[in-house]
Amino acid sequence: MSDRLSQLSQSGVSIWLDDLSRARLNSGDLARKIREDDVVGVTTNPAIFQAAISGAADYAAPIAELASSGASPEEVIKRLTTDDVREACDLFHDVYERTGGYDGRVSIEVDPRLARRTAETLEQAGELWATVDRPNVMIKIPATVEGLPAITDAIAAGISVNATLIFSVERYVEVAQAYLAGLEKARRAGLDLSGIHSVASFFVSRVDTAVDKLLEANGSEEAKALEGKAAVANARIAYGAFLDIFEGGRRFADLAEAGANLQRPLWASTGVKNPAYRDTMYVDELVSRHVVNTMPEKTLLAVADHGDLRGDTIRPAVDDARSLLGELAAAGVDLADVTSRLEYDGVAKFEIAWADLIRAVTEQLHDH
């Protein structure tokens, strides 16, 4: 294992890979990363599966078999993705057992077209949970306004949830409250809270991409000095909210006495998009206890090679992060507007990826 990856893990960060494909499973690559790189979980999303399945030789035989049975494109996608996730869950079983369910997790997302429909989201979350049928799967539910009650009710039903597409601190707090409400309902129903886990996926790099455009348009030296700083500050403030709710909050303390687990912040979108920035900045600057960092492979390799790890870079910096957001506001950045647009765009991008995947699978089915 890389010394840097080992150091990152020892600092309290769970390293999850933001990718999954049948090629990665069949080649033994994922097993190697578990064994050698301290990867203790995997996240997927519609864009990842679109890239994995479209035209890939590894899926040709199962698609041909499903075509002969008359399966629809949606049925094929559900079968291929849940099979991949189930196999990955089995690979992570030892990690899951060793960590008492804390890690060894594999996430699969509900159909992104349901992101604004609460009842349908909850129904599909239950279907995916039952189909994968592994205790270490996590069902990803978009943290839209409509997704929040689905998160609560999924948790209440004993389903472990990855609440995704969180861009604002305000929405992060709402997700945490939705999780607590779900735990309270589960406790009233007599469920074992210790078996229910959740993470809150807080997106990072896209915030800088959007804010930097506004700062560049401002044109002042003060605005330019703020470029590349908004995303980390935003995430650090969310972590501050995590501390208030889960380390200092009476509501969670009562649930913890009944066996409830923390809902950990998960840093998503941690690949650096601006080549002028250090390619490991969204890992280096977001280190603390009880967090997950889900990395694209390129970022994982960069951290292993030259990550600048220097202990906890969040807890001592929360107050400074709040001050920086004040400077952004003074420079004309309406962060609430930025994050609202990012959520809307995030759902739309996953809908496009899903449509592209359906189109690709439809074409392959027609070939048979």
Side-chain angles (χ1 to χ4, degrees), residues 293-306:
N293 197 308
T294 183
M295 308 176 207
E297 183 171 40
K298 182 179 179 181
T299 302
L300 177 70
L301 295 174
V303 172
D305 181 67
H306 54 263

Side-chain angles (χ1 to χ4, degrees), residues 180-250:
L180 296 180
L183 289 176
E184 288 163 350
K185 291 177 74 171
R187 180 173 59 179
R188 289 194 296 270
L191 272 65
D192 177 7
L193 301 190
S194 67
I196 304 171
H197 287 258
S198 183
V199 295
S201 291
F202 197 90
F203 280 53
V204 184
S205 67
R206 298 185 196 182
V207 173
D208 271 341
T209 300
V211 169
D212 283 358
K213 290 178 182 176
L214 298 175
L215 295 172
E216 187 176 345
N218 177 296
S220 70
E221 286 300 315
E222 292 82 3
K224 186 170 182 59
L226 296 171
E227 291 180 11
K229 296 181 178 180
V232 167
N234 195 41
R236 285 172 171 169
I237 295 169
Y239 187 86
F242 161 77
L243 294 178
D244 291 341
I245 295 166
F246 290 100
E247 289 200 357
R250 184 68 249 172

Side-chain angles (χ1 to χ4, degrees), residues 6-18:
S6 176
Q7 184 181 345
L8 185 62
S9 297
Q10 290 168 14
S11 297
V13 178
S14 293
I15 301 169
W16 292 7
L17 179 69
D18 192 29

